[in-house]
Amino acid sequence: MVSDFSKRIVDQMKFITQAPIAIALLDNNLRYIAHSSKWSDDFNLAYTNIKEMYHYGPFPALSNEWKKVQQRVLKGSEEYYDEELLITTDGKQRWIKWNMKPWRNYHNNISGVIMVTEDVTEAVQLKRRNQYKGDLLFKECLREHIGTWEYDHIRGELHWSDATRAIHKTPMGFIPKADEALKFYKSGESREKITEAFFQAITKGTSYDLELELTTAKGTPIWVRVVGISEFINGICLRQYGTLEDITYRINKE
């Protein structure tokens, strides 16, 4: 019976190395036992001998969350994810769909991890482009009195549309910083509300829709409606974006 089991292991490793998909077999210490050519090609490892190599060697940028997942698998869990951002050894961003489960030895003890991945970068990028283009907020921005804004948390850069600059009465070439933008909101309740909303959006992904008082660059007090949405990947807020609308006329009318 033991010899039959050994034969099955040999057959399984042969299947993995010849598989047309990206698949890898790791031991309990997350060192490579076998992998397919597709695995090497997908992760830019074609010219690297990774057999017996520690899994995090070729993937030094893997997040702590990913490492926690693998530890759960080593305890018997089966894990999968449809869209995971991965930074490859050549610094490129790749989106992968993956499935991970434990494999067991003759005594039914967990002896390592089997991983199967699929590159879905093109599909994810297309979906995100379509979502961005179709966002109702940005359709509304065709109206002159509504502007757009976007804050890139990775680069720490804030971008305003021309309509947003016009609402603030700043020059068309004005490039704001985040702290400068907050100072346009009236000191007190309005500034406190937008500051708290911004913080909650970063930490919890909470969207917001607020009506606040703002003082333009020319000192004119106005009312604005500011809408913000956050985009998270792997628990990290990459950016916030939204709209800014001058609602002074409606507020005064009310």
Side-chain angles (χ1 to χ4, degrees), residues 12 24 69 71-73 103 109 112 125 129-130 147 153 159 228:
Q12 186 179 48
V69 168
Q71 291 303 314
R72 290 200 298 268
V73 173
W103 65 275
N109 296 321
Q125 289 176 341
R129 284 197 298 268
N130 289 338
H153 284 277
H159 302 279

Side-chain angles (χ1 to χ4, degrees), residues 130-150 161 163-164 207-210 225-230 239-245:
N130 289 338
Q131 286 176 339
Y132 189 83
K133 291 177 181 178
D135 197 305
L136 180 60
L137 288 173
F138 287 91
K139 288 181 180 179
E140 290 181 356
C141 296
L142 296 175
R143 294 155 57 189
E144 292 182 358
H145 61 290
I146 298 182
T148 63
W149 59 271
E150 177 179 343
S161 68
T164 299
S207 59
Y208 51 91
D209 186 340
L210 303 170
R225 176 191 177 193
V226 57
V227 177
I229 297 174
S230 298
R239 70 182 183 116
Q240 288 186 52
Y241 64 97
T243 58
L244 186 78
E245 178 183 4

Side-chain angles (χ1 to χ4, degrees), residues 10 85 223 231 239:
V10 171
L85 179 62
W223 279 88
E231 180 180 329
R239 70 182 183 116

Side-chain angles (χ1 to χ4, degrees), residues 10-24 34-39:
V10 171
D11 290 342
Q12 186 179 48
M13 291 179 64
K14 185 177 180 181
F15 166 78
I16 288 174
T17 56
Q18 297 178 355
I21 59 176
I23 182 171
H35 62 88
S36 65
S37 296
K38 178 66 172 171
W39 179 278

Side-chain angles (χ1 to χ4, degrees), residues 34-245:
H35 62 88
S36 65
S37 296
K38 178 66 172 171
W39 179 278
S40 296
D41 293 340
D42 278 3
F43 298 114
N44 196 36
L45 300 170
Y47 301 102
T48 304
N49 182 12
I50 62 173
K51 190 174 181 180
E52 298 184 0
M53 182 182 289
Y54 187 45
H55 178 56
Y56 300 128
F59 303 102
L62 285 178
S63 66
N64 287 330
E65 185 57 36
W66 179 272
K67 295 177 182 179
K68 291 177 183 177
V69 168
Q70 290 182 319
Q71 291 303 314
R72 290 200 298 268
V73 173
L74 287 172
K75 294 179 182 178
S77 175
E78 292 191 16
E79 306 276 342
Y80 65 92
Y81 204 81
D82 288 333
E83 295 176 9
E84 180 85 19
L85 179 62
L86 181 71
I87 308 299
T88 61
T89 53
D90 54 357
K92 294 181 180 179
Q93 292 186 349
R94 304 280 290 282
W95 290 92
I96 62 170
K97 177 180 180 180
W98 56 262
N99 180 276
M100 209 182 312
K101 61 182 180 181
W103 65 275
R104 299 176 183 273
N105 62 19
Y106 173 71
H107 300 288
N108 202 36
N109 296 321
I110 295 174
S111 293
V113 174
I114 295 178
M115 300 173 59
V116 179
T117 66
E118 179 184 353
D119 191 321
V120 293
T121 303
E122 290 186 8
V124 171
Q125 289 176 341
L126 178 61
K127 183 178 73 172
R128 290 179 181 274
R129 284 197 298 268
N130 289 338
Q131 286 176 339
Y132 189 83
K133 291 177 181 178
D135 197 305
L136 180 60
L137 288 173
F138 287 91
K139 288 181 180 179
E140 290 181 356
C141 296
L142 296 175
R143 294 155 57 189
E144 292 182 358
H145 61 290
I146 298 182
T148 63
W149 59 271
E150 177 179 343
Y151 184 68
D152 185 327
H153 284 277
I154 303 301
R155 295 182 175 85
E157 297 174 353
L158 178 62
H159 302 279
W160 281 357
S161 68
D162 287 344
T164 299
R165 292 188 182 91
I167 291 172
H168 284 83
K169 305 299 182 187
T170 62
M172 284 297 100
F174 179 70
I175 300 177
K177 294 182 179 179
D179 56 347
E180 293 175 331
L182 288 174
K183 290 179 181 178
F184 279 98
Y185 291 93
K186 185 177 180 180
S187 179
E189 185 178 3
S190 289
R191 192 178 300 175
E192 290 171 2
K193 281 185 177 181
I194 189 62
T195 302
E196 177 63 18
F198 198 75
F199 175 76
Q200 292 296 327
I202 295 173
T203 57
K204 300 180 180 178
T206 308
S207 59
Y208 51 91
D209 186 340
L210 303 170
E211 294 185 354
L212 306 170
E213 290 183 88
L214 182 149
T215 303
T216 70
K218 295 185 177 181
T220 306
I222 62 172
W223 279 88
V224 295
R225 176 191 177 193
V226 57
V227 177
I229 297 174
S230 298
E231 180 180 329
F232 275 71
I233 295 179
N234 294 337
I236 299 174
C237 183
L238 296 187
R239 70 182 183 116
Q240 288 186 52
Y241 64 97
T243 58
L244 186 78
E245 178 183 4

